[in-house]
């Protein structure tokens, strides 16, 4: 993974010192709330319902064990012994004290981490595929390009105050695991007709109160022009994006109001003026690629025989292996998912004890690296099959081996009213109730792949618009209600879910979900997936049963 040089470290250290002075001035009354707000937002600090919330950047979801142990230390020292992993591969702390945030940032800087641009109207953390570099469907490892984009976006002076927040996702695989079509800019590694690698660029995607699927603006872009073309898009957005209405300020609205043809023309015209002023050279690409060289794989790993014996003799291990591990490009290795969706735990949360233990396991079994996924789980990307059984046993003791990756209980869930000052309804409690109702693992596995996404407000932090089942909390005269959608997807064939009908009361959400699942089980064809069934029959069969007694 990328290691800071002296310039990187100096930038982060100076940013910590700067924010320390700003915080001290605010606490002394020398800065007003309005003056301090943009300063704290640029350093990842929100003011939530109960306390400040600090969002820490997880660059394209890749962390090492030293960083993980620092996350554990911060959870113990400054918070309430846990942290939360987000859909954008970041880390959040819900209970820091404002006066101690500069100390937290200093601790983060000591392990090459920061909270710069994790909030505010700027370019946010670049996200990517959690299986980058190891998946069998990869065209090229996208992480070097993520790092190049990260360095370009950090404290970019021209785009420090955009009309609204701006998010970029990069994928290097045939299967999109980074939800690139739902970002302001999506970047795909592709080959042209001559077999030369370049990029396909999408623009104008986004979720929130107006969900939109991005469109292709550049079918093929030479690698050397990556940054100059992204800069042209940002420049047009910065010039013409609406600043009079924050609900219409995202680039998706600009693209819609301008029209894709005209927006493309404007970007192309800007790019032609500047395309040769920001060339990404082969030397620069290779310099960054060197940070992502493959680890020292054991080429004899596939010869192990104990793994197959454990699969045969232990059904629980075999179930975990089936659902929580995936193929690896190196024979004898697997990528292993650590489920942060144990039934009794809020989705995406980890305790300090778990963080430290995972760091120890990663040191022993996965070259000291941990990945954060788009669906709020973790990945050990490089585990020898000979180590899988022992690793599973230890993860099980840590309650990180629930065999539910990709299933109905692998829910994306935002903090909701429990923490967020923007929320209209709770999420964590509803997720717990749904989990309690779905306590039969055989039933869960029979249902197969099914993604539930639940958000407590229209901001859609949990991406409910593209859940196979989406749950959106709304406020009705001070009472929590929930709108349901079906048929959404963030994968290659991205789709927005269709609203099922009127919102249901909080007490009826779990019953509605179990009813939807029962309709699916009774009416599916053979091995038909939930998403395929919704495409085939529409939402009416589900609607009829959910609202049968209304």
């Amino acid at each position: 993974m990328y290691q800071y040089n002296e310039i990187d470290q100096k930038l982060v250290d100076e940013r910590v010192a700067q924010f320390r002075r700003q915080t001290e001035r605010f606490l002394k009354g020398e800065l007003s709330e309005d003056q301090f707000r943009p300063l704290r937002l640029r350093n990842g600090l929100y003011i939530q319902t109960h306390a400040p919330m600090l969002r820490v950047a997880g660059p394209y979801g890749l962390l090492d064990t030293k960083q993980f142990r620092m996350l554990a230390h911060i959870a113990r020292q400054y918070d309430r012994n846990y942290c939360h992993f987000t859909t954008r591969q970041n880390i959040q702390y819900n209970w820091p004290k404002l006066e101690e945030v500069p100390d937290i940032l200093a601790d983060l800087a000591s392990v090459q981490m920061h909270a710069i641009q994790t909030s505010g109207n700027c370019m946010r953390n670049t996200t990517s595929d959690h299986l980058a570099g190891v998946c069998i469907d990869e065209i090229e490892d996208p992480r070097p390009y993520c790092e190049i984009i990260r360095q370009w976006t950090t404290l970019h002076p021209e785009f420090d105050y955009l009309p609204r927040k701006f998010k970029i996702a990069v994928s290097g695989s045939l299967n999109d695991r980074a939800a690139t079509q739902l970002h302001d800019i999506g970047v795909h590694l592709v080959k042209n007709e001559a077999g030369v690698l370049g990029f396909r660029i999408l623009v104008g995607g986004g979720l929130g109160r107006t969900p939109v699927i991005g469109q292709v603006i550049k079918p093929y872009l030479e690698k050397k022009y990556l940054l100059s073309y992204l800069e042209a898009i940002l420049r047009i957005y910065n010039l013409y994006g609406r600043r009079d209405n924050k609900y219409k300020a995202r680039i998706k609205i600009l693209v819609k109001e301008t029209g894709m043809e005209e927006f493309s023309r404007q970007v192309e015209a800007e790019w032609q003026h500047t395309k040769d002023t920001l060339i990404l050279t082969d030397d620069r690409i290779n310099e960054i690629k060197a940070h992502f060289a493959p680890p020292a794989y054991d080429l004899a790993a596939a010869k192990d025989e104990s793994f197959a014996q454990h699969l045969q003799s232990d059904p629980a291990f075999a179930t975990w292996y089936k659902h929580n591990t995936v193929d690896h490009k190196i024979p004898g290795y697997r990528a292993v998912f650590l489920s942060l969706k144990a039934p009794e735990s809020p989705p995406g949360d980890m305790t300090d004890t778990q963080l430290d233990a995972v760091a120890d396991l990663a040191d022993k079994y996965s070259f000291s690296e941990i990945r954060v996924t788009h669906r709020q789980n973790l990945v050990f990307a490089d585990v020898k099959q000979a180590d899988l059984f022992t690793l599973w046993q230890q993860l099980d003791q840590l309650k990180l081996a629930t065999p539910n990756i990709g299933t109905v209980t692998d829910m994306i869930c935002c903090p909701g009213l429990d923490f967020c000052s923007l929320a209209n309804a709770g999420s964590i409690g509803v997720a717990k109730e749904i989990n309690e109702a779905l306590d039969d693992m055989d039933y869960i596995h029979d249902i197969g792949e099914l993604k539930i996404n639940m958000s407590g407000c229209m901001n859609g932090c949990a991406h409910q618009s593209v859940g196979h089942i989406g749950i959106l909390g709304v406020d009705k005269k001070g009472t929590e209600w929930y709108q349901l959608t079906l048929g959404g997807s963030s994968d290659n064939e991205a789709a927005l879910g269709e609203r099922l009908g009127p919102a249901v009361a909080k007490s009826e959400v779990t019953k509605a979900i179990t009813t939807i699942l029962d309709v699916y089980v009774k009416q599916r064809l053979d091995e038909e997936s939930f998403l395929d069934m919704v495409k085939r029959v529409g939402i009416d069969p589900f609607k009829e049963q959910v609202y049968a007694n209304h």
Side-chain angles (χ1 to χ4, degrees):
M1 63 185 291
Y2 181 77
Q3 298 296 308
Y4 282 10
N5 59 29
E6 291 182 6
I7 296 173
D8 296 315
Q9 193 64 52
K10 182 179 180 182
L11 183 151
V12 173
D13 289 341
E14 289 183 350
R15 187 72 168 187
V16 172
Q18 180 190 58
F19 187 64
R20 188 182 297 279
R21 293 192 298 270
Q22 292 166 345
T23 303
E24 289 171 352
R25 290 177 63 199
F26 172 71
L27 292 173
K28 290 177 182 178
E30 296 174 5
L31 293 176
S32 68
E33 285 275 2
D34 288 342
Q35 290 172 321
F36 186 59
R37 184 174 184 272
L39 303 177
R40 64 172 171 78
L41 286 175
R42 286 304 185 282
N43 290 276
L45 189 64
Y46 290 81
I47 302 301
Q48 298 288 66
T49 302
H50 307 292
M53 184 273 281
L54 181 67
R55 180 180 295 139
V56 178
Y60 36 94
L62 184 60
L63 301 168
D64 65 22
T65 53
K66 184 184 295 184
Q67 293 169 332
F68 236 65
R69 290 188 179 94
M70 180 56 71
L71 297 179
H73 162 74
I74 291 169
R76 277 190 299 272
Q77 182 72 25
Y78 303 105
D79 207 276
R80 296 188 177 180
N81 301 101
Y82 75 97
C83 68
H84 176 75
F85 290 90
T86 79
T87 57
R88 289 197 53 74
Q89 302 174 305
N90 290 319
I91 305 98
Q92 292 181 175
Y93 292 97
N94 289 307
W95 298 97
K97 297 176 182 177
L98 175 59
E99 61 270 22
E100 292 182 340
V101 170
D103 295 330
I104 297 174
L105 297 180
D107 285 348
L108 289 168
S110 72
V111 293
Q112 303 191 1
M113 295 186 75
H114 61 75
I116 298 169
Q117 292 175 213
T118 57
S119 57
N121 296 336
C122 54
M123 291 186 279
R124 301 286 187 88
N125 184 46
T126 298
T127 56
S128 191
D129 185 352
H130 48 268
L131 298 178
V134 304
C135 52
I136 59 176
D137 64 332
E138 191 162 79
I139 300 168
E140 186 181 356
D141 189 342
R143 293 174 299 171
Y145 305 101
C146 292
E147 177 58 31
I148 288 166
I149 293 171
R150 184 196 71 81
Q151 294 185 23
W152 167 71
T153 59
T154 301
L155 302 183
H156 194 301
E158 184 178 349
F159 306 133
D160 190 44
Y161 283 93
L162 293 166
R164 198 72 172 86
K165 57 187 176 182
F166 202 93
K167 301 173 181 179
I168 299 173
V170 186
S171 175
S173 301
L174 297 177
N175 295 297
D176 184 6
R177 288 175 288 267
T180 56
Q181 296 175 79
L182 305 169
H183 285 71
D184 299 286
I185 291 177
V187 179
H188 282 245
L189 277 150
V190 295
K191 292 181 179 179
N192 64 10
E193 294 179 356
V196 179
L197 278 166
F199 303 103
R200 179 171 68 244
I201 310 295
L202 297 88
V203 71
L207 297 176
R209 65 181 57 241
T210 311
V212 177
I213 295 172
Q215 303 176 63
V216 175
I217 187 173
K218 197 74 169 174
Y220 182 81
L221 178 73
E222 291 180 66
K223 283 186 176 182
K224 66 179 180 179
Y225 293 129
L226 175 63
L227 296 183
S228 64
Y229 195 77
L230 296 185
E231 190 156 280
I233 294 174
L234 263 296
R235 187 163 290 134
I236 295 302
Y237 170 55
N238 202 27
L239 285 170
Y240 301 116
R242 293 184 61 171
R243 297 176 186 269
D244 61 321
N245 185 335
K246 70 177 182 179
Y247 301 116
K248 297 184 178 181
R250 298 289 295 271
I251 193 173
K252 61 188 178 184
I253 304 300
L254 177 63
V255 172
K256 183 177 180 180
E257 292 182 346
T258 306
M260 189 61 183
E261 184 177 349
E262 174 59 18
F263 183 81
S264 299
R265 187 198 64 77
Q266 292 175 0
V267 170
E268 190 71 21
E270 174 61 35
W271 184 52
Q272 291 301 324
H273 285 302
T274 61
K275 61 186 292 187
D276 294 322
T277 63
L278 188 58
I279 294 293
L280 184 57
T281 66
D282 289 341
D283 286 346
R284 177 59 174 161
I285 293 173
N286 291 333
E287 176 191 347
I288 300 299
K289 277 186 176 181
H291 289 273
F292 300 91
Y297 291 120
D298 179 0
L299 299 182
K303 295 180 180 179
D304 168 73
E305 296 180 357
S306 63
F307 159 70
Q309 294 170 359
H310 287 305
L311 275 182
Q312 290 285 334
S313 62
D314 196 315
F317 170 64
T319 297
W320 173 81
Y321 171 83
K322 178 181 177 181
H323 293 280
N324 288 34
T325 76
V326 295
D327 290 338
H328 195 289
K329 67 180 183 181
I330 302 297
Y333 282 82
R334 301 286 286 182
V336 173
F337 286 83
L338 285 63
S339 174
L340 303 188
K341 311 293 176 59
E344 66 275 16
S345 302
D349 281 7
M350 282 188 80
T351 67
D352 58 322
T353 303
Q354 289 175 318
L355 290 162
D356 276 332
V358 165
D360 292 342
L361 292 176
D363 278 338
K364 189 171 183 179
Y365 297 115
S366 195
F367 298 103
S368 300
E369 288 187 356
I370 305 108
R371 317 278 187 95
V372 183
T373 80
H374 165 62
R375 293 196 63 83
Q376 298 177 290
N377 294 304
L378 303 179
V379 170
F380 284 176
D382 303 291
V383 181
K384 285 198 290 188
Q385 65 182 30
D387 294 329
L388 287 173
F389 185 76
T390 303
L391 174 60
W392 166 68
Q393 291 178 313
Q394 295 181 63
L395 290 176
D396 190 47
Q397 292 176 0
L398 294 167
K399 297 183 178 181
L400 297 173
T402 306
N404 64 346
I405 298 299
T407 72
V408 68
T409 60
D410 184 15
M411 281 181 276
I412 293 180
C413 179
C414 78
L417 272 178
D418 288 84
F419 298 102
C420 182
S421 59
L422 302 176
N424 297 314
S427 297
I428 295 173
V430 176
K432 186 174 187 295
E433 188 176 294
I434 293 171
N435 268 323
E436 289 172 350
L438 299 172
D439 61 353
D440 185 339
M441 194 59 72
D442 288 337
Y443 177 67
I444 291 169
H445 291 156
D446 178 61
I447 290 170
E449 183 184 10
L450 201 160
K451 299 174 180 177
I452 295 181
N453 298 357
M454 178 164 46
S455 294
C457 78
M458 289 296 295
N459 287 295
C461 294
H463 301 183
Q464 84 286 342
S465 300
V466 290
H468 295 177
I469 300 175
I471 306 174
L472 170 63
V474 294
D475 174 76
K476 286 189 176 184
K477 298 179 180 179
T479 305
E480 297 170 63
W481 289 70
Y482 296 81
Q483 292 177 353
L484 306 178
T485 55
L486 300 183
S489 174
S490 61
D491 298 331
N492 286 27
E493 296 182 10
L496 303 176
E498 183 177 354
R499 185 172 170 179
L500 189 64
V504 300
K506 186 174 186 177
S507 60
E508 299 176 358
V509 175
T510 299
K511 177 60 176 175
I513 297 302
T514 57
T515 299
I516 290 168
L517 298 180
D518 287 344
V519 172
Y520 163 60
V521 170
K522 291 174 182 177
Q523 299 191 26
R524 64 185 171 183
L525 301 176
D526 298 325
E527 299 298 317
E528 186 177 38
S529 71
F530 179 82
L531 202 54
D532 285 341
M533 180 187 163
V534 173
K535 291 177 182 177
R536 176 174 61 85
V537 305
I539 66 170
D540 286 345
F542 302 96
K543 186 174 184 177
E544 289 169 5
Q545 294 301 314
V546 169
Y547 299 103
N549 298 319
H550 283 239

